[in-house]
Amino acid sequence: MTNLFNKKMKRWPAWVVMLFCVVALMLIGTQRDSGPSTPQERIESISQRLACPTCDGESVYESRGAASQAIRKEIARQVADGQLTDSQIVKAIDDSYTADLKLVPGGTGFDALIWILPIVLLVVAIAGLVVVFKRWKTQGSLTATDADRDLVETALRQVSENRDS
Amino acid sequence: MLAVSINAAIGRGAILLGLLTCLSGIAITVAGIRKHDLRALKSAPRYAYLAFAAALLAFIMMERALITRDFSMKYVQQVGSRDTPALFNFTAVWSALEGSILLWLLALTGLIAAVARKFRARVGDELLAWAMVVMFVVGLFFFLLSFGPANPFAMGALGVNDGPGPNPLLQNHILVLFHPPILYVGYVGFTVPFAFAMAALITGRVGEGWLLETRRWTLYAWGFLTVGIILGSWWSYEVLGWSGVWAWDPVENASFLPWLTGTAYLHSVLVQERRGMLRVWNLSLVIATFSLTILGTFLTRSGVINSVHAFSAGSVGPWLLTFFAIIVVVAIFLVGRRGDQLRSPGAIDSPLSREGAFLANNVLFSIFAFVVLLGTVFPLIVEALNNRRIVVGEPFFDRMTMPLGLTLLFLMAIAPVLPWRKASQEVLRDRLFWPAWCGVGALALSVIVGADGWASLAAFALGGFAAGAALRQIALASRRQGWRGVVGRANGGMVVHIGVIIIAVAFSASSSYTRTQEFVMKVGETVTFADHTFTFEGLSLESDDVKTSVKAAIRIDGDSVYSPARSKYIKQGMDIGTPSVKTGFVNDLYITLEGNVRTTDTEARIKIFVKPLIMWLWIGGALMALGTVLAAFPGKRRQPTAPVSADSVLTQSTTDEHV
């Protein structure tokens, strides 16, 4: 009875209900995605996109150094000013330094390679898998020879003898 | 003061002894293999023990030099100090490059000695003999490093009576005692599977023998690396003051790269053991994992990449790069030479099978490793080719790895329920039903508690799905095998999965829902933030021989007092902030004292971070460690005749499952 109930429950209507629930919940969740809710959180978010100009590979967000404090102050000033978007603030601060402070490489020129290469690798890997699976499919399963069958029979006999003894 | 320190003389002698021992070990073992001389082969373990004794003696002499404040030695002048507390004076050995290599040597030779002891009864076996040779070669390289470019026993300038002590960041938390040694054991642990893989290629015994011999060694190496990484994150969280646990820093990436390929290997090795397939792939993964430990060491110890975690740079770069190149060239040559033998006659019947899922898992882990490696070295490439300096940071890694992480979570949900060979729709529907509802439940709970953002919601849903699949496997195994249901590779692996899922969910929550606010507070003032009250009760001064600290007293919710501080390390002149954390199961309240403060100030800048689910990162890490130990225990032996693959399609829907 339980098994039958279990089987009936797992039929396609239950999966459709599940899918509906997932879509509905995702819609509810993503609709209220509001990003940074306070000016302070906006400052933190922007500071995560800029490198500290004087540190060992830290972002402005991570660094406690004087240069990062100065950049954070500038971000706070821009945020309070309310004139620029986050990306414009990042660009303005990056432009004011000779070093490249952006932590995300650009999507053009040589820097674009960092974005393209992983995608190329993914495409090659998927294509490779498709080719390999096709080859495996056409190759088919190996057929057991009489010698193989003898080997298996001997092994099974030994196992049952060991168990009996 | 002696012109030549006794510590330096004995230490350097020990390094030379280790170097000559490894050299002799290689010569004797190779000669024994060539001449089939069992007596020569039987002596190999003795060389391993002697190399370990030499490394241990060198380590002890360095500790003795630091403890007795032997400032005639350059290294003690660099990292020693008369004022450093005993614990941090002990850990000062690995606080800079030369001492780190010494610790590496100690772990490596200890491991070689352990392997020699474990297999001492079978030293006549050519596979084991070649594995010993490879390990001696690796040992020789590190002894050479320690004897040449990273000599910890060099004499220093005359007349120096004190030093600055270790970097301040390396003397304000107990984890400095645990994180580096554990991480190093993880790194060097991969030498064992690498040595056996190379031995298999040299001898032509490329079957499954070497895999089985090194199964537990690999698992332990992976476990140590995992725990080392988690402890590193914890340490970073407690010390650096920016409230994060992972920043995709080059040093962090250097430890993560071998972890990724090592994890891929632990999965794909199952396909070779069960089906005799993926031989070249598994060999490549083992070689890649070991090579990446060397490449990572090069990147972080040569000074080519700056990192807040590096603490040292030296002239070892060309040596490490050359060694890395030799490993790669020799490995490719050997794999090429055994090409015919490495071909597998089998085939994976369907992508919807356990082995198909492992293959997909391996592809994803490899791409993940490639992204991390590319992001780490890309600034170097741009500088070399374009003569331009760029920084690749957290936003790049987050953007690129997030879809990979989510897909891996999805695979973690699917793979455990898939049978070997082929799965029918009925089987999938049956086995995935309740885990999928667990995912929906997790998603619903997330939405109810206010979660937003599609990536985080997807992580919670997939985490629930994967946890459901893992718990289902444990429940089924426990029903069949009792307490042994959590022991053995498959079942212990499910415990590891649960640990990974907890970490993924906690990481996603802490990254997405951290709330921050900075307050300028007057003494006695109370502020409310995130439903908590924070009262600033004043500043106090504490000083000892090493540092002067200004501490702020912050009372949370009228209860306990927490004291973030800013410390000035006297000798280094460095100003270090130390956060104070109120830890909880739901949220951590992470408080830092900002800016320059004096005890006479009547106000202070206090920054408060509310970090959700941080404690679950450490709980997840502990579960991963526990799962690794459980996986190393022998599980219930399957009857040799018991079925291990899916039944025929006709009977599949009616049979119970077998994992």
Side-chain angles (χ1 to χ4, degrees):
Chain A
M1 184 67 186
T2 317
N3 270 347
L4 193 69
F5 174 72
N6 207 15
K7 254 186 177 177
K8 275 189 176 171
M9 259 193 75
K10 291 175 182 177
R11 282 182 186 161
W12 68 266
W15 288 90
V16 173
V17 171
M18 194 188 297
L19 188 67
F20 174 78
C21 290
V22 169
V23 172
L25 288 165
M26 285 299 279
L27 277 175
I28 295 168
T30 50
Q31 284 302 308
R32 62 184 178 205
D33 186 2
S34 51
S37 56
T38 63
Q40 179 72 42
E41 283 168 15
R42 202 176 151 207
I43 295 166
E44 304 298 332
S45 164
I46 296 168
S47 69
Q48 286 174 10
R49 295 165 63 179
L50 288 161
C52 161
T54 56
C55 313
D56 289 335
E58 289 175 285
S59 66
V60 169
Y61 177 72
E62 293 156 34
S63 165
R64 310 282 105 187
S68 293
Q69 297 284 359
I71 293 177
R72 215 174 282 136
K73 264 188 189 163
E74 176 58 19
I75 298 171
R77 196 187 65 75
Q78 300 270 19
V79 167
D81 211 24
Q83 297 294 313
L84 303 177
T85 63
D86 290 6
S87 298
Q88 286 169 332
I89 294 173
V90 168
K91 189 173 181 313
I93 291 172
D94 182 45
D95 288 346
S96 65
Y97 281 80
T98 45
D100 193 352
L101 297 191
K102 287 195 298 292
L103 284 168
V104 186
T108 55
F110 189 80
D111 292 2
L113 276 180
I114 200 170
W115 302 103
I116 294 167
L117 286 176
I119 294 165
V120 169
L121 185 68
L122 179 68
V123 171
V124 169
I126 291 170
L129 284 180
V130 170
V131 169
V132 167
F133 271 105
K134 271 193 175 166
R135 194 187 296 162
W136 277 329
K137 208 170 183 182
T138 50
Q139 180 183 311
S141 308
L142 291 174
T143 318
T145 61
D146 289 342
D148 293 334
R149 289 180 207 289
D150 288 346
L151 268 175
V152 173
E153 266 179 32
T154 314
L156 287 173
R157 208 177 312 124
Q158 276 174 355
V159 169
S160 60
E161 279 170 13
N162 286 344
R163 208 181 296 154
D164 294 342
S165 63
Chain B
M1 189 185 292
L2 290 170
V4 175
S5 145
I6 190 86
N7 297 313
I10 297 177
R12 190 135 172 89
I15 296 289
L16 183 62
L17 174 68
L19 197 153
L20 293 174
T21 304
C22 285
L23 210 54
S24 309
I26 295 166
I28 296 282
T29 315
V30 172
I33 296 167
R34 292 258 176 261
K35 294 177 184 167
H36 302 289
D37 181 353
L38 194 61
R39 239 182 77 192
L41 291 176
K42 274 188 174 171
S43 67
R46 272 179 245 148
Y47 289 95
Y49 305 149
L50 191 58
F52 174 57
L56 183 63
L57 180 61
F59 188 84
I60 289 169
M61 293 324 290
M62 181 52 80
E63 283 293 1
R64 186 175 182 275
L66 281 162
I67 291 164
T68 59
R69 266 76 179 184
D70 181 355
F71 286 102
S72 64
M73 283 170 57
K74 194 177 167 189
Y75 193 71
V76 182
Q77 289 178 6
Q78 187 189 336
V79 301
S81 163
R82 294 193 182 280
D83 305 318
T84 306
L87 170 71
F88 300 119
N89 198 36
F90 177 82
T91 59
V93 169
W94 53 83
S95 63
L97 172 76
E98 293 83 355
S100 297
I101 300 286
L102 208 55
L103 179 65
W104 189 294
L105 256 179
L106 183 68
L108 177 64
T109 52
L111 196 76
I112 298 173
V115 171
R117 171 128 188 100
K118 165 86 179 163
F119 296 109
R120 66 190 182 285
R122 293 166 48 198
V123 283
D125 185 336
E126 209 178 310
L127 182 86
L128 288 161
W130 276 113
M132 287 304 296
V133 171
V134 175
M135 284 188 282
F136 280 136
V137 169
V138 178
L140 176 68
F141 171 75
F142 280 98
F143 272 117
L144 267 174
L145 267 192
S146 205
F147 193 73
N151 174 16
F153 297 105
M155 296 306 293
L158 290 174
V160 177
N161 287 314
D162 203 354
N167 184 306
L169 288 172
L170 298 177
Q171 45 178 325
N172 68 347
H173 204 281
I174 183 78
L175 280 173
V176 68
L177 182 63
F178 301 103
H179 162 65
I182 290 174
L183 193 71
Y184 280 20
V185 172
Y187 275 142
V188 302
F190 286 109
T191 310
V192 181
F194 169 74
F196 276 79
M198 297 300 271
L201 285 168
I202 293 167
T203 57
R205 285 161 58 185
V206 290
E208 282 63 64
W210 72 272
L211 290 181
L212 300 172
E213 301 286 11
T214 57
R215 195 177 79 74
R216 285 209 177 91
W217 296 91
T218 314
L219 201 56
Y220 287 135
W222 184 87
F224 273 101
L225 191 59
T226 304
V227 174
I229 291 171
I230 299 282
L231 289 182
S233 301
W234 195 355
W235 186 12
S236 163
Y237 176 72
E238 294 279 347
V239 163
L240 290 181
W242 59 278
S243 84
V245 293
W246 191 263
W248 299 104
D249 171 277
V251 170
E252 294 169 355
N253 294 350
S255 65
F256 196 41
L257 282 167
W259 187 89
L260 288 168
T261 50
T263 308
Y265 171 73
L266 284 177
H267 288 90
S268 65
V269 80
L270 295 168
V271 180
Q272 186 175 344
E273 280 182 28
R274 198 60 77 94
R275 305 283 315 272
M277 300 177 67
L278 307 183
R279 287 175 177 174
V280 177
W281 181 245
N282 283 323
L283 282 163
S284 307
L285 280 178
V286 166
I287 292 161
T289 303
F290 178 74
S291 318
L292 284 170
T293 65
I294 304 295
L295 184 69
T297 313
F298 160 73
L299 289 173
T300 55
R301 294 293 178 202
S302 61
V304 294
I305 286 177
N306 292 327
S307 160
V308 70
H309 304 290
F311 303 114
S312 63
S315 54
V316 293
W319 290 67
L320 286 162
L321 200 58
T322 307
F323 189 52
F324 170 76
I326 292 171
I327 293 165
V328 173
V329 170
V330 171
I332 290 173
F333 168 74
L334 286 173
V335 170
R337 202 172 70 129
R338 299 289 177 198
D340 284 345
Q341 281 173 273
L342 290 169
R343 282 205 189 98
S344 159
I348 294 181
D349 306 73
S350 160
L352 268 183
S353 61
R354 183 76 64 89
E355 51 272 54
F358 284 151
L359 207 55
N361 146 310
N362 270 236
V363 168
L364 287 171
F365 271 114
S366 304
I367 294 172
F368 206 133
F370 178 77
V371 167
V372 176
L373 182 62
L374 185 67
T376 309
V377 300
F378 200 69
L380 292 179
I381 299 170
V382 170
E383 197 173 353
L385 300 179
N386 273 9
N387 198 23
R388 217 162 30 91
R389 299 196 76 159
I390 66 159
V391 193
V392 178
E394 204 174 336
F396 164 79
F397 289 102
D398 286 347
R399 206 176 292 176
M400 292 300 278
T401 58
M402 188 258 292
L404 291 168
L406 290 177
T407 319
L408 279 167
L409 270 179
F410 177 72
L411 271 181
M412 277 173 74
I414 303 283
V417 306
L418 287 173
W420 292 88
R421 291 214 178 261
K422 197 172 185 177
S424 67
Q425 274 189 21
E426 287 81 14
V427 165
L428 282 180
R429 219 164 39 205
D430 179 49
R431 297 183 185 180
L432 286 175
F433 188 77
W434 291 116
W437 273 110
C438 284
V440 177
L443 180 60
L445 187 66
S446 312
V447 171
I448 289 166
V449 298
D452 59 17
W454 77 267
S456 301
L457 289 171
F460 301 147
L462 289 169
F465 188 15
L471 288 170
R472 176 185 176 278
Q473 293 304 102
I474 291 173
L476 286 174
S478 299
R479 199 190 294 167
R480 275 197 309 267
Q481 305 167 22
W483 66 271
R484 278 184 172 276
V486 289
V487 173
R489 185 161 40 175
N491 305 329
M494 287 304 110
V495 178
V496 174
H497 273 201
I498 292 172
V500 173
I501 293 157
I502 289 174
I503 288 177
V505 168
F507 189 76
S508 180
S510 67
S511 306
S512 306
Y513 308 121
T514 291
R515 297 171 66 189
T516 317
Q517 189 64 52
E518 193 173 297
F519 299 95
V520 178
M521 296 174 75
K522 289 192 164 51
V523 174
E525 186 182 345
T526 298
V527 295
T528 303
F529 178 57
D531 301 328
H532 295 278
T533 60
F534 301 86
T535 307
F536 175 42
E537 297 192 337
L539 296 165
S540 62
L541 185 73
E542 270 183 26
S543 57
D544 54 32
D545 295 337
V546 180
K547 62 182 187 296
T548 304
S549 306
V550 177
K551 291 188 170 182
I554 308 286
R555 193 175 291 280
I556 299 178
D557 297 329
D559 193 5
S560 305
V561 173
Y562 290 81
S563 303
R566 292 208 74 86
S567 304
K568 184 102 174 170
Y569 280 76
I570 299 159
K571 286 183 174 167
Q572 292 91 344
M574 278 174 74
D575 187 26
I576 300 289
T578 308
S580 187
V581 187
K582 183 183 182 188
T583 306
F585 278 103
V586 179
N587 281 319
D588 272 15
L589 301 176
Y590 188 100
I591 312 166
T592 59
L593 180 58
E594 301 287 314
N596 295 318
V597 275
R598 292 181 301 268
T599 45
T600 50
D601 291 347
T602 53
E603 60 180 29
R605 271 171 56 215
I606 306 290
K607 197 165 183 178
I608 301 164
F609 300 81
V610 181
K611 308 276 303 179
L613 304 187
I614 287 286
M615 190 194 270
W616 291 92
L617 289 171
W618 325 133
I619 293 172
L623 266 179
M624 286 177 77
L626 175 69
T628 308
V629 173
L630 293 172
F633 275 102
K636 189 177 181 183
R637 295 260 175 228
R638 186 186 285 109
Q639 288 289 344
T641 49
V644 293
S645 306
D647 296 330
S648 69
V649 180
L650 286 172
T651 57
Q652 223 166 26
S653 56
T654 55
T655 54
D656 199 357
E657 38 208 276
H658 19 74
V659 184

